[in-house]
Amino acid sequence: DLLQRLGIDDDARLVALHVGSPVTAKRWMPMRFARLGDRLADAGYTVLLVGAIMEEPLIVDVQGLAQSRLVGLAGMTTFPQTAALLGRCSGFVGNDSAPHHLAAAVGIPTVGLFFTTDPVRFGARGKHVRRLTARDPRSMEVDAVYDAVAELMAEAGRQ
């Protein structure tokens, strides 16, 4: 009923983004997440920004930078509710963090972004998981991330 209360139809195509991480060096820039959210919205997806309540300021920043409506869910769900919500999504993109692993665990196409940690050692695993790496978050382009999640969703038949 959370999605209904937020005005999101049952048949909406959902993609979740996790823009936070307790470690600042593990985060992609808010402007890049905003641009990615806009690209996904332009493709017909409802974009959900998931995260803990402490990540709300970061989510609000991303929403403010976006041209489209990105739905902030910071602190609105428990861990099991987040898993259920992710299970309804067509795909997920997020920094190296717990939601990245949760998305892969529920089996949705998952793109993890890695900057300071070893993606082989710390990245999620699964049939439809892709780990993108860059030494500097500024060198990871929105188009590359969009293409990765779009390809994974197409492969999984979750467009």
Side-chain angles (χ1 to χ4, degrees), residues 51-59 73-77:
I53 192 66
M54 67 184 193
E55 294 169 322
E56 186 173 26
L58 189 56
I59 287 173
L73 300 176
M76 298 176 115
T77 58

Side-chain angles (χ1 to χ4, degrees), residues 45-117:
Y45 293 96
T46 298
V47 179
L48 308 176
L49 303 176
V50 298
I53 192 66
M54 67 184 193
E55 294 169 322
E56 186 173 26
L58 189 56
I59 287 173
V60 169
D61 285 347
V62 171
Q63 289 174 304
L65 294 166
Q67 301 297 311
S68 54
R69 177 181 179 246
L70 308 182
V71 181
L73 300 176
M76 298 176 115
T77 58
T78 64
F79 200 70
Q81 289 168 333
T82 301
L85 181 67
L86 291 174
R88 293 249 346 259
C89 291
S90 296
F92 172 91
V93 176
N95 298 309
D96 173 20
S97 62
H100 155 247
H101 290 276
L102 188 59
V106 299
I108 65 170
T110 301
V111 175
L113 310 178
F114 291 82
F115 307 108
T116 62
T117 53

Side-chain angles (χ1 to χ4, degrees), residues 6-59:
L6 294 170
I8 299 171
D9 294 331
D10 288 341
D11 61 348
R13 296 181 327 151
L14 308 173
V15 173
L17 305 180
H18 180 246
V19 303
S21 172
V23 180
T24 304
K26 290 183 173 186
R27 294 184 197 154
W28 201 31
M29 290 88 60
M31 177 54 85
R32 301 279 173 97
F33 269 115
R35 288 183 188 150
L36 176 63
D38 288 338
R39 291 263 330 254
L40 290 163
D42 288 346
Y45 293 96
T46 298
V47 179
L48 308 176
L49 303 176
V50 298
I53 192 66
M54 67 184 193
E55 294 169 322
E56 186 173 26
L58 189 56
I59 287 173

Side-chain angles (χ1 to χ4, degrees), residues 95-146:
N95 298 309
D96 173 20
S97 62
H100 155 247
H101 290 276
L102 188 59
V106 299
I108 65 170
T110 301
V111 175
L113 310 178
F114 291 82
F115 307 108
T116 62
T117 53
D118 179 359
V120 174
R121 183 172 178 201
F122 297 107
R125 289 166 175 70
K127 185 175 181 180
H128 300 290
V129 173
R130 187 162 302 155
R131 297 169 289 215
L132 301 180
T133 62
R135 287 187 176 263
D136 182 344
R138 294 172 295 198
S139 66
M140 186 174 289
E141 296 296 330
V142 173
D143 289 342
V145 177
Y146 178 85

